[in-house]
Amino acid sequence: MSTTQVQEPTPNEIKDTKLYQAWGLTDAEYELIEQKLQRLPNYTETGLFSAMWSEHCSYKKSKPVLKTFWSKNDRVLQGPGEGAGILDIGDNQAVVFKAESHNHPSAVEPYEGAATGVGGILRDIFSMGAQPIAVLDSLQFGNPDQAETKRLIDGVVAGIAGYGNAIGIPTVGGATNFDATYQQNPLVNVMAVGLLNQADLHVGQARGIGNAVIYVGATTGRDGIHGATFASSEFDSHQDQNRSAVQVGDPFMEKLVMDTTLNAVREFGAHIVGIQDMGAAGLVSSTAEMADKAGRGMQLNLDRVPQREAHMTPYELMLSESQERMILVVEPEYAQSIMDLFKAQDLNAVQIGTVTDGKQYQLYFQDELVADVPVDFLTSAPKMHMAQTKPARLEKVASDYQPDLAQPSETLLALLAQPNVASKASLYRHFDCSVKANTVVKPGQADAAIVRIRQTDKALAMTTDINSRLTYLDPFIGGQRALLEAAQNIVATGATPIGITDCLNFGNPDDPEIYYELAQSVAGINDMAQLLNTPVISGNVSLYNETDGVAIHPTPMVGMVGLISNTDLIVTQNFKAVDDEIYLINPQPAEFNGSELQNMVQGQLSGALKPIDHKQVQAIMEKVQTATKRHLVQSVHDLSEGGLAVALSESLMETPFGAQVELKTPLNDIFSEVPAQFIVSVSSAQQQAFEDLMGTAAMKIGKITPVPELHIIGNDAKEIQLPMTQVKEKYKDSLWQRLQ
Amino acid sequence: MVKTAVVRFPGSNCDEDLFYALADLNLNPVFVSAQEESDLSDYAAIFLPGGFSYGDYLRTGAIARFSPIMDAVRHAADAGQLVVGICNGFQILTESGLLPGQLMQNATPGFICDEVMVNITNPNSAFTRAYTSTSVKLPIAHADGRYYADAATLQELVEHQQIILTYQDNVNGSVEQIAGITNVAGNVIGLMPHPERAMEALIGNVDGRGFFESIQASLPA
């Protein structure tokens, strides 16, 4: 059809050589396209379908599971399906958030992969009309002693810093974990949070026949072509990795695009019909989805697309994943004024097409029609039926792990030095956490980060959580506990959990065992989301995280946001004063299966996870929230990796104090990991009111002392006795030293 | 009425923080575009905020020094108005020659975000006179904060009491641990720490208030 500079294969050649297979389309899918079009698709069209029908764009494999997510309550203004989800926080304001994975690009090109991960998720936020206010990163790496891991960490950390710091959105939280399962497949999940005036809410749709389709931002180059397809396949260590599928970011450009888009929304909001960022599968995905959501067709003139390279073909223009580009659909009378706003910032702003009657998606290039396909067909990849099988390892239940620790003081020090426990300050100090001067609680100060909302008394708490050891042992309970852990982190700051986003990182979904893990993890998250009233308002799926046929542990990441009605209610994890009493909330029989201790001592994970008691968990979470709302507690910290022993150490870490603790259980139990447990400190003035509220849900275990020493005694007369200098040194220096 | 200007370069990202800090002390801040405006004569004090002007892709501040606004900044400095460059603003002032020396990549390469103890080495300057303490804790956030000047320049800085702030721990490898300096006349300051991020107990630090209170006290009534 087209007379381009590069000789493209003819439709017949594409069919005969099965070129489409290399782009990820199956024979059945190709036949369906041929049938629907009643002709062979040309090169450009085949490219459009392969990108739009990739798992990354279409969720065709994960959709049956994703649609089970509970995503509605009174707060939800926008659920899944848009750039990001939106929750009402009162005063005509809303919080907008979403998480996204950039695993494949970061594995190949860690700096740019991570940087463009930040850029992409921020565009999802401001495309809704919201001002981004915070970024969180959830990073999973392999063994920290391996040179390759260090290279990846350096690149990923520098990439996040290089992009996030420059654009001026604070990186306030997240988590970094290490496990051999991520050696070949590191995970880079980025969550962004934005603040929206509800009147500015925009979605990605192309309503209104005759409305102008405007392209703004960076030029289109050949970078990232077929990035979506690349993200929808696994790695083979014997093949060269696909470096050209990784994009390159420009945070300066993004800042101009962000600020100008938000200005355009404020000034011309009523005349902007839809906004969408060009993310995976670039121009085709953004425009086709916008047209489809509005039930309209679209015509684009590709000659008008701003190009950074010569002789680009329609195929390349449509599939490029060049960064910092947006599509706006606007009323034609306002098109020029809106484009002028962008041009004043030296940004490209060009009308590249119009919304049309009917349902055809038509691309013109050099006066020829180079693609003409039904838009709703292009955006509806055929549904897949995915087989599920319970993995063999889950069928045989190993006996419970019961630790026998001869030198508990040494055990605690060793735990504090574990890469998953030790301080990550040497990594996160590269991220600007305080730009905008709104960060109330910074990394390391509490279980979640807190950003205040200027001109109100409100603040938002935010966190990301992953524990793939638990999902490995039991995908359902592991999913429940990922959400519960996030909720504990939010509640521990004095906030009320209000909603979640997720990144579902799994292996190849065609493997029925992996699909089972995905389905079970989602069911677990969903179950706990409903119990705790935190709807799932956005999310992302990253499949094919495997190399040479070995998949990562099932790794669902939960990103949660909480609302604080008044900044007076904020609580942090540090102990505050000598003689305050220390309580353990939710005392329970010890559990060690899947614990940090088991991992450290046995070098493997085994045993069953105890089913979660819904009523009990709900009661505990409510009581902790009541205690913070009544100002009854001086500090709150949730128990996670390393249990009570590590939590006590952490609450002392940034204080001059020590603690004296006496347990009514054997000393080993101090390393137990049970869900919905916290430690709090309570002043003597509030002790009675606190005990009256908590009843048997809280057990007094000790006191904060002026002597900087951690002293814990079990009912078996075993004890831990360590000077805090030693505790602090292990915690603060261990990871940093290993990464040198 | 005293008015102050916050200059916005493309890529500035601490402009709002500065605006709020100045508004907090009733210093009536106004945003001024570095590309579109060329007159700063109305403003008693002019602030160049932190950020990554023009992306800082060449060298920090190296492009911004050619912005149309910089002639007006130079005039303001000559006229005795206060000129304050924080972080990227400091880098722009050294690149423009309004302050001596140079800011280079941190001794250990990489961005550092932290709060550090800073000594006030000249408590009588227009920017420190309201402080009652000789050391304060201030946020830093930079990758290119290592101050360098040759021996002769350092000698002059000392002679004219131009060294205003020094790090207690030399976090970025600056010569003489320098964190902030003024020009000879004492009306132009550049500093790497961010006092505008240390204005409220809620966000955990009020040690920046003295900086803006000093400026307030130094301005004509």
Side-chain angles (χ1 to χ4, degrees):
Chain A
M1 261 166 148
S2 77
T3 52
T4 50
Q5 310 286 336
V6 180
Q7 198 58 46
E8 291 175 345
T10 64
N12 281 317
E13 283 167 357
I14 294 168
K15 183 172 184 176
D16 294 344
T17 60
K18 300 201 170 189
L19 176 62
Y20 56 83
Q21 284 183 346
W23 296 347
L25 284 174
T26 64
D27 288 343
E29 287 170 338
Y30 182 82
E31 279 160 26
L32 187 68
I33 295 165
E34 186 184 340
Q35 213 173 35
K36 177 82 177 180
L37 298 183
Q38 311 234 315
R39 62 178 168 81
L40 294 180
N42 65 25
Y43 188 80
T44 304
E45 290 167 335
T46 310
L48 301 184
F49 279 103
S50 74
M52 291 300 290
W53 288 10
S54 69
E55 171 60 22
H56 198 70
C57 283
S58 71
Y59 296 111
K60 62 188 171 189
K61 294 178 179 174
S62 48
K63 215 172 219 166
V65 167
L66 298 182
K67 70 181 184 201
T68 62
F69 270 134
W70 173 69
S71 56
K72 282 202 172 78
N73 72 4
D74 290 349
R75 283 192 193 278
V76 180
L77 300 177
Q78 177 66 57
E82 281 293 337
I86 307 180
L87 295 172
D88 191 347
I89 55 168
D91 305 323
N92 297 314
Q93 290 182 312
V95 61
V96 180
F97 58 92
K98 190 186 179 189
E100 202 159 85
S101 59
H102 241 214
N103 304 336
H104 280 63
S106 302
V108 176
E109 194 68 75
Y111 183 97
E112 294 298 346
T116 55
V118 175
I121 193 69
L122 288 174
R123 286 194 297 283
D124 281 333
I125 302 300
F126 69 77
S127 71
M128 310 300 294
Q131 171 66 53
I133 58 168
V135 170
L136 300 94
D137 308 294
S138 176
L139 312 175
Q140 317 296 312
F141 295 108
N143 181 344
D145 299 323
Q146 299 235 347
E148 173 63 5
T149 306
K150 290 174 192 174
R151 186 186 77 86
L152 286 170
I153 292 174
D154 283 351
V156 166
V157 168
I160 291 167
Y163 207 101
N165 298 351
I167 197 167
I169 308 299
T171 300
V172 299
T176 307
N177 296 301
F178 299 87
D179 194 296
T181 190
Y182 306 113
Q183 197 62 50
Q184 308 290 330
N185 292 89
L187 303 184
V188 175
N189 293 177
V190 188
M191 171 175 170
V193 182
L195 184 65
L196 177 77
N197 290 317
Q198 290 183 20
D200 291 337
L201 170 56
H202 280 74
V203 293
Q205 57 170 276
R207 274 186 291 108
I209 297 162
N211 277 340
V213 179
I214 294 177
Y215 171 117
V216 301
T219 50
T220 296
R222 291 193 170 91
D223 48 330
I225 290 174
H226 265 309
T229 313
F230 164 61
S232 303
S233 60
E234 58 271 58
F235 287 136
D236 178 339
S237 63
H238 302 295
Q239 277 180 11
D240 267 354
Q241 292 169 331
N242 206 346
R243 199 162 260 120
S244 74
V246 181
Q247 314 84 340
V248 177
D250 176 356
F252 173 62
M253 174 74 77
E254 174 118 328
K255 178 156 171 56
L256 297 180
V257 172
M258 173 177 77
D259 292 349
T260 314
T261 302
L262 294 174
N263 277 342
V265 164
R266 280 189 283 267
E267 216 169 311
F268 297 102
H271 309 291
I272 299 175
V273 169
I275 309 176
Q276 184 132 340
D277 112 84
M278 283 189 242
L283 195 47
V284 55
S285 169
S286 53
T287 54
E289 280 175 14
M290 288 177 92
D292 178 54
K293 278 183 207 159
R296 290 294 169 206
M298 193 177 277
Q299 273 184 9
L300 301 179
N301 180 350
L302 301 187
D303 298 311
R304 295 201 189 154
V305 172
Q307 296 165 35
R308 78 174 66 136
E309 294 178 65
H311 311 306
M312 289 187 70
T313 64
Y315 168 87
E316 291 169 329
L317 290 167
M318 295 309 292
L319 296 188
S320 162
E321 293 188 8
S322 291
Q323 299 289 291
E324 293 92 27
R325 303 177 302 158
M326 309 281 290
I327 290 288
L328 274 63
V329 173
V330 308
E331 294 170 3
E333 312 87 83
Y334 292 87
Q336 194 56 49
S337 309
I338 291 167
M339 288 192 288
D340 287 346
L341 275 185
F342 288 89
K343 286 177 180 163
Q345 302 300 319
D346 296 326
L347 293 167
N348 293 295
V350 186
Q351 180 174 351
I352 59 165
T354 44
V355 179
T356 58
D357 199 358
K359 299 240 169 148
Q360 286 302 107
Y361 185 73
Q362 298 173 311
L363 307 179
Y364 287 87
F365 183 69
Q366 295 175 351
D367 298 324
E368 279 187 60
L369 183 62
V370 295
D372 187 2
V373 298
V375 69
D376 51 353
F377 180 58
L378 181 60
T379 55
S380 314
K383 287 201 185 77
M384 312 266 301
H385 176 76
M386 306 299 291
Q388 290 187 38
T389 316
K390 191 171 182 178
R393 71 167 193 277
L394 301 176
E395 293 290 5
K396 44 174 195 241
V397 178
S399 57
D400 289 339
Y401 168 56
Q402 281 299 337
D404 178 20
L405 306 170
Q407 294 177 298
S409 291
E410 296 305 314
T411 302
L412 174 55
L413 290 176
L415 266 176
L416 289 167
Q418 290 296 299
N420 286 338
V421 175
S423 170
K424 311 298 185 297
S426 67
L427 303 179
Y428 63 65
R429 87 192 289 250
H430 294 301
F431 306 144
D432 192 339
C433 66
S434 59
V435 63
K436 289 193 181 291
N438 290 326
T439 314
V440 178
V441 173
K442 301 187 179 81
Q445 296 179 337
D447 289 315
I450 297 181
V451 177
R452 60 99 175 262
I453 303 173
R454 279 194 196 264
Q455 278 119 30
T456 74
D457 295 326
K458 292 183 293 193
L460 295 167
M462 48 198 82
T463 185
T464 66
D465 277 288
I466 275 185
N467 189 335
S468 67
R469 300 215 180 109
L470 302 179
T471 29
Y472 172 77
L473 287 182
D474 188 321
F476 180 80
I477 297 176
Q480 287 178 311
R481 285 181 63 172
L483 191 133
L484 181 53
E485 171 66 23
Q488 286 179 244
N489 288 339
I490 294 292
V491 162
T493 65
T496 305
I498 58 172
I500 75 150
T501 184
D502 61 65
C503 270
L504 304 170
N505 308 279
F506 289 80
N508 185 339
D510 298 337
D511 177 339
E513 293 195 351
I514 286 173
Y515 205 84
Y516 173 91
E517 292 175 342
L518 172 68
Q520 287 295 305
S521 298
V522 165
I525 291 171
N526 210 24
D527 169 73
M528 209 36 56
Q530 291 177 71
L531 181 76
L532 300 177
N533 196 21
T534 52
V536 185
I537 61 162
S538 60
N540 159 270
V541 181
S542 172
L543 304 175
Y544 305 96
N545 291 290
E546 58 181 81
T547 299
D548 301 338
V550 180
I552 59 165
H553 287 175
T555 312
M557 186 280 274
V558 172
M560 185 178 284
V561 169
L563 180 62
I564 297 171
S565 58
N566 192 307
T567 52
D568 283 356
L569 297 169
I570 294 171
V571 193
T572 60
Q573 72 187 29
N574 288 339
F575 289 145
K576 302 297 186 298
V578 168
D579 288 341
D580 282 358
E581 304 282 353
I582 304 168
Y583 289 82
L584 171 66
I585 293 183
N586 193 21
Q588 292 291 328
E591 293 175 53
F592 298 98
N593 298 336
S595 64
E596 193 65 41
L597 183 72
Q598 183 186 32
N599 186 60
M600 181 176 84
V601 174
Q602 297 199 309
Q604 57 152 13
L605 307 166
S606 63
L609 299 180
K610 209 171 133 189
I612 287 182
D613 180 335
H614 284 81
K615 270 192 182 149
Q616 185 212 14
V617 162
Q618 199 169 25
I620 292 291
M621 297 298 274
E622 278 170 13
K623 281 189 170 172
V624 174
Q625 290 182 71
T626 307
T628 57
K629 286 200 176 98
R630 291 193 199 157
H631 298 278
L632 296 178
V633 286
Q634 301 299 308
S635 69
V636 185
H637 190 21
D638 93 303
L639 269 52
S640 57
E641 286 92 345
L644 179 57
V646 167
L648 281 167
S649 307
E650 288 174 340
S651 285
L652 287 166
M653 204 57 66
E654 298 298 325
T655 78
F657 313 131
Q660 175 76 29
V661 172
E662 279 180 46
L663 302 174
K664 297 182 180 70
T665 58
L667 186 70
N668 282 352
D669 288 9
I670 199 145
F671 302 110
S672 143
E673 294 180 24
V674 174
Q677 289 190 312
F678 301 82
I679 50 167
V680 302
S681 58
V682 178
S683 69
S684 54
Q686 287 150 343
Q687 207 178 328
Q688 194 57 51
F690 175 78
E691 287 184 1
D692 289 347
L693 168 70
M694 300 305 291
T696 56
M699 180 168 72
K700 197 197 292 184
I701 57 169
K703 217 183 218 344
I704 300 166
T705 63
V707 191
E709 180 186 80
L710 180 58
H711 191 193
I712 308 168
I713 306 170
N715 71 352
D716 50 1
K718 285 189 183 173
E719 59 183 330
I720 287 174
Q721 192 163 16
L722 288 167
M724 280 308 296
T725 47
Q726 218 178 336
V727 171
K728 289 177 184 182
E729 195 183 291
K730 275 285 173 214
Y731 179 79
K732 290 184 178 179
D733 295 342
S734 294
L735 181 62
W736 175 74
Q737 283 166 350
R738 278 177 84 171
L739 292 175
Q740 285 298 296
Chain B
M1 184 180 78
V2 167
K3 281 204 300 181
T4 56
V6 176
V7 178
R8 276 179 151 162
F9 297 87
S12 294
N13 65 26
C14 303
D15 45 338
E16 286 179 19
D17 319 12
L18 251 178
F19 185 95
Y20 284 117
L22 294 167
D24 188 354
L25 293 184
N26 300 313
L27 289 170
N28 305 308
V30 175
F31 285 122
V32 171
S33 162
Q35 311 218 92
E36 288 158 24
E37 294 176 57
S38 56
D39 182 2
L40 292 168
S41 54
D42 277 356
Y43 304 103
I46 292 125
F47 294 82
L48 311 189
F52 290 72
S53 51
Y54 298 92
D56 274 348
Y57 288 131
L58 177 57
R59 191 176 64 239
T60 53
I63 305 287
R65 64 172 282 215
F66 294 110
S67 301
I69 198 72
M70 288 312 292
D71 279 338
V73 173
R74 214 166 273 116
H75 279 301
D78 291 344
Q81 292 156 265
L82 297 186
V83 176
V84 178
I86 299 175
C87 200
N88 193 225
F90 187 9
Q91 294 159 345
I92 295 168
L93 290 176
T94 58
E95 284 288 333
S96 321
L98 282 165
L99 289 173
Q102 183 70 42
L103 290 148
M104 309 195 306
Q105 190 182 57
N106 295 346
T108 304
F111 194 98
I112 308 169
C113 176
D114 209 338
E115 290 188 298
V116 296
M117 292 307 295
V118 172
N119 290 329
I120 297 171
T121 40
N122 179 348
N124 304 316
S125 80
F127 309 97
T128 50
R129 58 180 48 146
Y131 277 112
T132 52
S133 167
T134 55
S135 69
V136 292
K137 187 163 84 170
L138 290 176
I140 55 163
H142 60 249
D144 299 273
R146 176 160 54 123
Y147 183 77
Y148 174 79
D150 60 26
T153 308
L154 284 174
Q155 182 67 33
E156 281 191 34
L157 289 176
V158 172
E159 271 171 28
H160 297 105
Q161 296 182 310
Q162 288 170 255
I163 301 171
I164 307 297
L165 302 171
T166 55
Y167 303 107
Q168 286 185 0
D169 284 327
N170 200 352
V171 63
N172 53 25
S174 291
V175 63
E176 300 293 328
Q177 324 219 142
I178 287 173
I181 57 164
T182 63
N183 60 352
V184 176
N187 66 318
V188 178
I189 188 173
L191 67 161
M192 289 313 295
H194 287 274
E196 80 280 13
R197 297 189 192 179
M199 297 292 289
E200 293 167 81
L202 176 63
I203 57 169
N205 192 338
V206 294
D207 282 3
R209 295 192 73 84
F211 181 80
F212 293 97
E213 285 163 2
S214 301
I215 290 170
Q216 190 179 36
S218 305
L219 293 179

